Amino acid sequence: MVERLANGSPTEFIRKAMDRMEAVENWQLFELVREVGLKRAAAGGVTSPRERREAVRSSLNRKSRKPHS
C-alpha cells in the first residue's frame, strides 16, 4: 500500500492516513451535530427540509444585520 498510495514513502503514507482519519472524525462530528439540530428543530415544530432551510436562512440573516461593534 505504501508503494501504491505514497510512492514508497512511509512518512507520506502516514501523513495521508492521518488526513483521512481526520476527515472521517470530522464527518462523524458533523453527523452528531446534524442529529442534534434535527431533533431541536422537530421539537420546535420545524420538520420539513423547506422549513429547516427557511429557519437557517432567517437565523443567518438576523445575525448578519447586527451592527458590528
Side-chain angles (χ1 to χ4, degrees):
M1 286 182 68
V2 172
E3 280 298 321
R4 187 166 47 94
L5 299 174
N7 297 321
S9 171
T11 303
E12 180 66 12
F13 178 79
I14 290 171
R15 186 190 68 73
K16 286 182 177 190
M18 294 296 287
D19 286 348
R20 297 270 172 96
M21 289 172 59
E22 183 179 13
V24 169
E25 286 177 352
N26 288 340
W27 175 76
Q28 289 170 333
L29 287 172
F30 170 78
E31 286 297 317
L32 290 173
V33 169
R34 184 176 177 276
E35 282 182 39
V36 169
L38 289 172
K39 287 178 184 175
R40 290 175 78 185
V46 177
T47 56
S48 75
R50 183 177 179 197
E51 290 173 323
R52 289 191 297 268
R53 281 192 300 274
E54 185 54 39
V56 169
R57 194 173 292 123
S58 174
S59 178
L60 291 174
N61 287 335
R62 186 172 52 243
K63 290 178 183 178
S64 69
R65 286 193 298 252
K66 288 183 179 179
H68 294 151
S69 301

